[in-house]
mmCIF file of all heavy atoms in Angstrom:
data_model
loop_
_atom_site.group_PDB
_atom_site.id
_atom_site.type_symbol
_atom_site.label_atom_id
_atom_site.label_comp_id
_atom_site.label_asym_id
_atom_site.label_seq_id
_atom_site.Cartn_x
_atom_site.Cartn_y
_atom_site.Cartn_z
ATOM 1 N N MET A 34 -0.190 11.783 -9.343
ATOM 2 C CA MET A 34 -0.105 12.395 -8.030
ATOM 3 C C MET A 34 -0.692 13.805 -8.085
ATOM 4 O O MET A 34 -0.682 14.456 -9.126
ATOM 5 C CB MET A 34 1.346 12.477 -7.564
ATOM 6 C CG MET A 34 2.062 11.134 -7.503
ATOM 7 S SD MET A 34 1.474 10.089 -6.151
ATOM 8 C CE MET A 34 2.005 11.041 -4.728
ATOM 9 N N SER A 50 -1.656 18.691 -10.279
ATOM 10 C CA SER A 50 -1.521 17.242 -10.427
ATOM 11 C C SER A 50 -0.522 16.939 -11.529
ATOM 12 O O SER A 50 -0.238 17.781 -12.402
ATOM 13 C CB SER A 50 -2.862 16.575 -10.714
ATOM 14 O OG SER A 50 -3.442 17.064 -11.912
ATOM 15 N N ILE A 51 -0.001 15.719 -11.502
ATOM 16 C CA ILE A 51 1.001 15.311 -12.459
ATOM 17 C C ILE A 51 0.780 13.866 -12.833
ATOM 18 O O ILE A 51 0.412 13.032 -11.989
ATOM 19 C CB ILE A 51 2.422 15.540 -11.883
ATOM 20 C CG1 ILE A 51 3.497 15.298 -12.939
ATOM 21 C CG2 ILE A 51 2.649 14.665 -10.653
ATOM 22 C CD1 ILE A 51 4.860 15.830 -12.523
ATOM 23 N N GLY A 52 1.001 13.545 -14.098
ATOM 24 C CA GLY A 52 0.783 12.208 -14.597
ATOM 25 C C GLY A 52 1.800 11.207 -14.122
ATOM 26 O O GLY A 52 2.804 11.537 -13.484
ATOM 27 N N ARG A 53 1.558 9.985 -14.468
ATOM 28 C CA ARG A 53 2.372 8.876 -14.000
ATOM 29 C C ARG A 53 3.857 9.033 -14.290
ATOM 30 O O ARG A 53 4.693 8.716 -13.435
ATOM 31 C CB ARG A 53 1.845 7.574 -14.612
ATOM 32 C CG ARG A 53 2.594 6.329 -14.230
ATOM 33 C CD ARG A 53 1.955 5.107 -14.875
ATOM 34 N NE ARG A 53 1.919 5.233 -16.320
ATOM 35 C CZ ARG A 53 2.943 4.953 -17.117
ATOM 36 N NH1 ARG A 53 4.091 4.505 -16.615
ATOM 37 N NH2 ARG A 53 2.819 5.098 -18.436
ATOM 38 N N ILE A 54 4.206 9.504 -15.472
ATOM 39 C CA ILE A 54 5.607 9.660 -15.840
ATOM 40 C C ILE A 54 6.073 11.105 -15.803
ATOM 41 O O ILE A 54 7.214 11.409 -16.195
ATOM 42 C CB ILE A 54 5.893 9.058 -17.230
ATOM 43 C CG1 ILE A 54 5.099 9.778 -18.310
ATOM 44 C CG2 ILE A 54 5.577 7.562 -17.213
ATOM 45 C CD1 ILE A 54 5.449 9.340 -19.715
ATOM 46 N N GLY A 55 5.219 12.005 -15.339
ATOM 47 C CA GLY A 55 5.612 13.392 -15.165
ATOM 48 C C GLY A 55 5.517 14.257 -16.396
ATOM 49 O O GLY A 55 5.961 15.411 -16.368
ATOM 50 N N ARG A 56 4.949 13.759 -17.475
ATOM 51 C CA ARG A 56 4.860 14.550 -18.706
ATOM 52 C C ARG A 56 3.714 15.544 -18.678
ATOM 53 O O ARG A 56 3.855 16.662 -19.197
ATOM 54 C CB ARG A 56 4.708 13.609 -19.898
ATOM 55 C CG ARG A 56 4.663 14.328 -21.253
ATOM 56 C CD ARG A 56 4.524 13.341 -22.397
ATOM 57 N NE ARG A 56 3.244 12.653 -22.347
ATOM 58 C CZ ARG A 56 2.108 13.140 -22.842
ATOM 59 N NH1 ARG A 56 2.099 14.337 -23.414
ATOM 60 N NH2 ARG A 56 0.982 12.439 -22.757
ATOM 61 N N THR A 57 2.597 15.163 -18.106
ATOM 62 C CA THR A 57 1.400 15.992 -18.107
ATOM 63 C C THR A 57 1.166 16.602 -16.732
ATOM 64 O O THR A 57 1.243 15.907 -15.717
ATOM 65 C CB THR A 57 0.177 15.152 -18.514
ATOM 66 O OG1 THR A 57 0.422 14.539 -19.779
ATOM 67 C CG2 THR A 57 -1.053 16.041 -18.614
ATOM 68 N N THR A 58 0.885 17.889 -16.714
ATOM 69 C CA THR A 58 0.598 18.588 -15.459
ATOM 70 C C THR A 58 -0.653 19.448 -15.600
ATOM 71 O O THR A 58 -0.986 19.905 -16.698
ATOM 72 C CB THR A 58 1.766 19.475 -15.020
ATOM 73 O OG1 THR A 58 2.052 20.438 -16.042
ATOM 74 C CG2 THR A 58 3.017 18.646 -14.754
ATOM 75 N N TYR A 59 -1.327 19.668 -14.476
ATOM 76 C CA TYR A 59 -2.530 20.500 -14.441
ATOM 77 C C TYR A 59 -2.457 21.373 -13.201
ATOM 78 O O TYR A 59 -1.928 20.980 -12.172
ATOM 79 C CB TYR A 59 -3.787 19.634 -14.406
ATOM 80 C CG TYR A 59 -3.972 18.774 -15.620
ATOM 81 C CD1 TYR A 59 -3.446 17.479 -15.658
ATOM 82 C CD2 TYR A 59 -4.649 19.243 -16.738
ATOM 83 C CE1 TYR A 59 -3.590 16.677 -16.772
ATOM 84 C CE2 TYR A 59 -4.808 18.448 -17.856
ATOM 85 C CZ TYR A 59 -4.273 17.174 -17.873
ATOM 86 O OH TYR A 59 -4.424 16.380 -18.987
ATOM 87 N N ILE A 70 4.554 21.735 -10.324
ATOM 88 C CA ILE A 70 4.577 20.381 -9.784
ATOM 89 C C ILE A 70 5.542 19.536 -10.612
ATOM 90 O O ILE A 70 5.617 19.674 -11.837
ATOM 91 C CB ILE A 70 3.165 19.746 -9.761
ATOM 92 C CG1 ILE A 70 3.192 18.401 -9.033
ATOM 93 C CG2 ILE A 70 2.600 19.609 -11.168
ATOM 94 C CD1 ILE A 70 1.797 17.818 -8.787
ATOM 95 N N ALA A 103 -4.261 12.330 -13.917
ATOM 96 C CA ALA A 103 -3.958 13.646 -13.372
ATOM 97 C C ALA A 103 -5.083 14.618 -13.691
ATOM 98 O O ALA A 103 -5.419 15.471 -12.875
ATOM 99 C CB ALA A 103 -2.630 14.162 -13.942
ATOM 100 N N GLN A 104 -5.659 14.514 -14.872
ATOM 101 C CA GLN A 104 -6.744 15.400 -15.250
ATOM 102 C C GLN A 104 -7.981 15.183 -14.375
ATOM 103 O O GLN A 104 -8.638 16.135 -13.976
ATOM 104 C CB GLN A 104 -7.110 15.210 -16.724
ATOM 105 C CG GLN A 104 -8.154 16.176 -17.236
ATOM 106 C CD GLN A 104 -8.388 16.033 -18.726
ATOM 107 O OE1 GLN A 104 -8.315 14.930 -19.262
ATOM 108 N NE2 GLN A 104 -8.670 17.147 -19.395
#
Side-chain angles (χ1 to χ4, degrees):
M34 303 288 294
S50 60
I51 188 166
R53 180 179 57 83
I54 63 173
R56 182 180 65 84
T57 305
T58 58
Y59 298 90
I70 187 171
Q104 185 175 35

